[in-house]
Amino acid sequence: MYSLNQALSKTLVVCCSVTLYFTGIQAVCASPEPRAYYVSHSGNDKNTGRKNTPFKTLQKINSISLHPGDSVLLKGGQTFEGTLQMHADDSGLPKRSIVISSTGKNAATINGGDLSGLVIDSAKYIRISHLSIKGSGRKNGNIYNGVLLNRCSHISIADLTINGFQKAGLLVYSSTHIDIRHVHAFENGYAGISVDSEYGKNDTRQIYIADCLAENNPGDPSNFNNHSGNGIVVGNSRHVTIDYCVATNNGWDMPRIGNGPVGIWCYEADNIKIRYCISYANKTAKGADDGGGFDFDGGVTNSIIEHCLSYNNYGSAFGIFQYKGAGPWHDNVIRNNISENDGEVSAAHAGVYIWNSTGDATQFKNFSFCNNIVYNKMGSVIHYADGQDERNAFNFYNNIFVAKDDMVSGKMGGDIFNGNTWWSLAGGFNSDSIKDFKTWVAKTGKEQKNGKITGKNVNPHLTGAGNTTLKDPHKLTAFIAAYRKMKK
């Protein structure tokens, strides 16, 4: 053991790959110079790993401790077998991240086979980009996640394709300050992208997900106890933003009948923002529930879905759910969105599905649904689950509601409706067998304030309603504005 008071003119100590120079009582830390490690089929693991003398395998990279500023560059267009693993001692610094990427225009492929493709455990300040991560298939032997970030921080992921894994394509677990962009996750089991944690909402936080596509993630064939086949799902987390993402054709092969998957959703989460996203043609197993577009599920608080589009999903566009045993559900907002022809297949047969199995209104409260368009030529606008109508301070205002025939099914309870436009394609108006809007207002107390009617029963003449095919979320602002314009 060295004392800083020793009269050492220039003693050199090497510890954990960091060189410490002691001069008197001062220490100067000099990190190794950053270097790039190249990996190519033409290489050899006995080489130096330089550009002209590359390594050959991922296993060689796994044996090296990477330092701040280092990079690992896989030869573009080539496939490398195995799992790339990084640990706490493979961490960068705020301005000297470690980089994992491909050389050239084409991405390199990491083939994890029956295992994961990339695992980062307890590391920080790493940038991963321009890679394809592949597994043997959710029904062909793989039983893992494709990319796993476990207890990490300050990790960025960009331009990845991930497919062939039984669990999630990408799982962010008990991690903070994660930036995910341009990930294409497909043909995975549990989900395309999953964000979760072990110890509650504070353990995973500050996650940003943008411009990602989660498609054709059918379901986990080994999971008979819970949902699978989700697009993007966030649980047990706080401060997560999902922007400009698309979820489609997920959930069609979930191996159970019961609660099912959703395109983009969250549960037991706080301060979640889902914005400018499209969720369409998502499915669920035959006879199972859900299969919807978006969902604020049990225990969600202080969250928002806005400027999004949902269409042609088996389940409802917007699931508003609170299940027994979840934390309190409160102070959530859904605004400025469009739902078109959602919910035809699963239980609700409606664009919006409201369900509370706790029997306690104090656990399910303070909800705002405003400035949305729900167009449903297949069924109702809103479905309230039978016998599960306990809730408090649910407000619906300035929405446009268009239904096939009956506008609302189930008990509306004390929910407040003001300033909404109502239209039944079958006959102008129909709610609970009441065919006249003014009679319905008088009987239910809805759409009136201070003795005056606030809503209206008119055909909104929506432009292009019923024919939506939009798949680019960056066109949503113009699309929503055009959709709202009345036909001349």
Side-chain angles (χ1 to χ4, degrees), residues 4 20 73 128 192 226 253 266 277 340 352 401 414:
L4 292 180
L20 302 178
L73 301 172
I128 303 153
N226 210 340
D253 196 28
C266 57
C277 293
E340 182 178 282
V352 181
F401 293 140

Side-chain angles (χ1 to χ4, degrees), residues 59 67 74 94 134 165 198 234 297 358 362 381 399 442:
Q59 290 70 31
H67 302 120
L74 308 182
K134 184 177 181 180
F165 297 92
E198 184 177 1
V234 175
D297 219 293
T358 68
T362 66
V381 171
N399 301 288

Side-chain angles (χ1 to χ4, degrees), residues 159-179:
D159 299 308
L160 261 62
T161 61
I162 311 171
N163 70 290
F165 297 92
Q166 189 182 89
K167 307 308 177 187
L170 168 60
L171 172 59
V172 177
Y173 194 77
S174 295
S175 297
T176 68
H177 297 87
I178 308 298
D179 190 282

